[in-house]
């Protein structure tokens, strides 16, 4: 499994406690549209991702991340920065 695939798998595991609707997660799953998360859920989830990967996701980055795949890409960049 590549680093990117492992990152995606970890992110999907982190999404599960917040996935109240049981949405099937893909690269294209959107946080606002598909998962219907409110801002509080997003903040809790971002904190979980930051803790898991020991990174900081800035508010500017969060604004640009709409899908699970985009988040995996952003985490990969932050891990190597």
């Amino acid at each position: 499994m590549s680093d990117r695939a492992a990152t995606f798998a970890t992110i999907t595991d982190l999404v599960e406690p917040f996935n109240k609707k049981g949405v099937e997660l893909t690269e294209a799953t959107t946080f606002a549209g598909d998962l219907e998360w409110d801002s509080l859920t997003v903040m809790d989830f971002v904190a979980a991702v930051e803790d898991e990967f020991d990174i900081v996701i800035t508010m500017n980055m969060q604004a640009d991340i709409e899908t699970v795949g985009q988040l995996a890409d952003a985490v990969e960049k932050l891990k190597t920065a």
Side-chain angles (χ1 to χ4, degrees):
M1 184 182 298
S2 71
D3 283 350
R4 169 62 167 69
T7 297
F8 181 79
T10 301
I11 289 169
T12 59
D13 288 344
L14 292 171
V15 167
E16 281 311 315
F18 300 96
N19 189 359
K20 304 297 185 208
K21 299 187 132 235
V23 173
E24 182 179 344
L25 300 175
T26 68
E27 294 275 338
T29 301
T30 62
F31 297 105
D34 297 325
L35 295 170
E36 298 180 8
W37 287 0
D38 59 20
S39 58
L40 181 58
T41 303
V42 170
M43 296 308 291
D44 288 344
F45 175 69
V46 167
V49 170
E50 289 176 332
D51 289 347
E52 177 69 27
F53 293 102
D54 194 26
I55 58 173
V56 174
I57 301 172
T58 66
M59 294 299 271
N60 287 342
M61 285 185 79
Q62 288 179 40
D64 293 334
I65 298 170
E66 296 178 4
T67 68
V68 176
Q70 288 173 336
L71 177 58
D73 291 340
V75 169
E76 280 298 301
K77 286 180 187 166
L78 289 168
K79 282 175 27 182
T80 60

